[in-house]
Amino acid sequence: MKVYAPYGEKASQKVAILLTSIAKTLFVDDCNCLLCGKELEEKNRSGLCLECLQRLPLNDKEICRKCGRVLANEADYCNTCQNNERYFNSARSVCVYKGEAVALVHGLKFGNKRYFAKYMANAMVDKYLDEGLDCDCVLAVPLSDKRRRARGYNQADLLAREISRELKLDYLDGVAVKIRDNEEQAKLGHAKREDNVKGAYAVKEKDALKGRRVLLVDDVLTTGATASEVARVLLKAKAKCVNILTFASTKYKVASETGDGEENHENEMV
Ligand SMILES: [Zn+2]
Ligand SMILES: [Zn+2]
């Protein structure tokens, strides 16, 4: 059969190669494990092969009832939640931020693997349902324009869109914005993080939040300072309540040196 080649055989070969590589980038997730690349026998909700799925560090043990982070003891609350005002009702996460969970977050966030969002969101939807959360709209923790432009997208926004679609909840696109580009949270302990995020967020469309139960979505929760500050701003705009859902959260550790009850998370690029 003669191939239709309006720009000559060579040009169409190039186009064919280009299309194949685009297709591979777009659809590789449909048949291969997101982490090890092994071919999957059939599509599944996690996007992972059985081995990788079993290694996923699920956050299903002792957690702080407020922020949902793993605790080293059997206390009900971590020190940060005991000693600080938290503006969200609760925060919950699918995984502890280590091992395979870090690989997924980094792929989504720094590896330009946007298609990870769909699978990570599936796990977050399951968590939402397991926890019996009851919200009526979804919002992503906003990135500053500068950071979003540099990355090309906001990973929290990708997750939040997928979650709202799955749960059939309103997606409040751009209702909250980041108005100040604060210092990177990753280098700071909790007390400094709280100061650092204060005044960094604002609500653009106040009426959109009135009386609503908001599900606030992010990829990782570390000290919860950002989540709490965004929740504070949403409540001020008359949201009824705010629940936080993240793919992962760091393990709560008491630090002896930072003096504010939280360790620094220097290795993490949040
Ligand atoms: Zn795998
Ligand atoms: Zn806590």
Side-chain angles (χ1 to χ4, degrees), residues 33 36 49 52:
C33 172
C36 70
C49 70
C52 289

Side-chain angles (χ1 to χ4, degrees), residues 116-230:
F116 277 21
K118 184 171 78 182
Y119 298 99
M120 292 162 77
N122 283 341
M124 292 166 79
V125 165
D126 293 346
K127 189 76 184 179
Y128 175 96
L129 298 172
D130 283 353
E131 291 287 333
L133 293 172
D134 189 14
C135 299
D136 49 41
C137 58
V138 182
L139 199 80
V141 169
L143 270 188
S144 69
D145 280 349
K146 191 176 145 198
R147 191 127 0 129
R148 191 172 42 76
R149 270 200 300 271
R151 189 173 297 157
Y153 57 97
N154 174 6
Q155 71 284 352
D157 173 69
L158 300 183
L159 294 169
R161 277 177 199 275
E162 294 288 347
I163 290 167
S164 70
R165 204 173 300 150
E166 279 274 314
L167 292 171
K168 298 189 173 51
L169 298 176
D170 271 359
Y171 182 60
L172 305 184
D173 193 7
V175 165
V177 288
K178 192 164 187 195
I179 49 174
R180 187 165 57 79
D181 212 6
N182 48 326
E183 199 182 328
E184 283 214 28
Q185 291 282 80
K187 300 182 184 86
L188 308 170
H190 178 78
K192 286 188 186 132
R193 280 179 180 229
E194 251 190 355
D195 287 346
N196 191 39
V197 291
K198 215 156 215 165
Y201 298 92
V203 168
K204 262 172 74 180
E205 299 167 46
K206 290 201 166 66
D207 289 346
L209 289 161
K210 216 169 181 183
R212 304 194 84 174
R213 294 163 296 161
V214 181
L215 183 69
L216 181 63
V217 169
D218 208 352
D219 52 348
V220 183
L221 181 137
T222 47
T223 70
T226 296
S228 184
E229 174 62 10
V230 178

Side-chain angles (χ1 to χ4, degrees), residues 3-19:
V3 178
Y4 175 62
Y7 307 108
E9 293 274 340
K10 266 208 169 139
S12 11
Q13 261 171 20
K14 274 186 192 163
V15 170
I17 291 167
L18 184 67
L19 287 177

Side-chain angles (χ1 to χ4, degrees), residues 27-268:
F27 302 116
V28 68
D29 59 308
D30 278 348
C31 47
N32 295 81
C33 172
L34 301 180
L35 290 176
C36 70
K38 195 167 100 181
E39 203 163 317
L40 301 176
E41 281 171 25
E42 53 187 35
K43 264 189 184 184
N44 67 53
R45 273 172 69 75
S46 72
L48 301 174
C49 70
L50 198 59
E51 289 77 20
C52 289
L53 188 60
Q54 281 168 346
R55 280 201 297 267
L56 205 59
L58 295 178
N59 188 11
D60 55 2
K61 310 253 157 43
E62 296 292 332
I63 58 166
C64 167
R65 289 188 191 177
K66 190 78 179 172
C67 70
R69 290 181 294 174
V70 172
L71 297 173
N73 53 36
E74 289 182 359
D76 286 340
Y77 299 98
C78 72
N79 285 345
T80 309
C81 289
Q82 260 173 36
N83 301 325
N84 295 276
E85 189 156 12
R86 300 290 224 174
Y87 290 93
F88 50 81
N89 270 12
S90 73
R92 292 294 180 265
S93 56
V94 177
C95 293
V96 180
Y97 191 62
K98 61 182 183 180
E100 274 65 21
V102 174
L104 285 170
V105 169
H106 277 202
L108 174 69
K109 205 165 177 174
F110 308 114
N112 201 26
K113 293 182 172 163
R114 301 180 198 199
Y115 60 89
F116 277 21
K118 184 171 78 182
Y119 298 99
M120 292 162 77
N122 283 341
M124 292 166 79
V125 165
D126 293 346
K127 189 76 184 179
Y128 175 96
L129 298 172
D130 283 353
E131 291 287 333
L133 293 172
D134 189 14
C135 299
D136 49 41
C137 58
V138 182
L139 199 80
V141 169
L143 270 188
S144 69
D145 280 349
K146 191 176 145 198
R147 191 127 0 129
R148 191 172 42 76
R149 270 200 300 271
R151 189 173 297 157
Y153 57 97
N154 174 6
Q155 71 284 352
D157 173 69
L158 300 183
L159 294 169
R161 277 177 199 275
E162 294 288 347
I163 290 167
S164 70
R165 204 173 300 150
E166 279 274 314
L167 292 171
K168 298 189 173 51
L169 298 176
D170 271 359
Y171 182 60
L172 305 184
D173 193 7
V175 165
V177 288
K178 192 164 187 195
I179 49 174
R180 187 165 57 79
D181 212 6
N182 48 326
E183 199 182 328
E184 283 214 28
Q185 291 282 80
K187 300 182 184 86
L188 308 170
H190 178 78
K192 286 188 186 132
R193 280 179 180 229
E194 251 190 355
D195 287 346
N196 191 39
V197 291
K198 215 156 215 165
Y201 298 92
V203 168
K204 262 172 74 180
E205 299 167 46
K206 290 201 166 66
D207 289 346
L209 289 161
K210 216 169 181 183
R212 304 194 84 174
R213 294 163 296 161
V214 181
L215 183 69
L216 181 63
V217 169
D218 208 352
D219 52 348
V220 183
L221 181 137
T222 47
T223 70
T226 296
S228 184
E229 174 62 10
V230 178
R232 187 184 69 81
V233 171
L234 301 181
L235 292 179
K236 216 175 143 200
K238 302 278 184 283
K240 192 174 174 191
C241 60
V242 181
N243 284 293
I244 315 291
L245 184 63
T246 60
F247 181 74
S249 61
T250 55
K251 188 175 176 189
Y252 174 74
K253 282 183 198 161
V254 180
S256 51
E257 283 152 27
T258 53
D260 59 20
E262 289 264 14
E263 65 160 7
N264 288 332
H265 298 279
E266 278 169 13
N267 297 328
E268 190 192 341

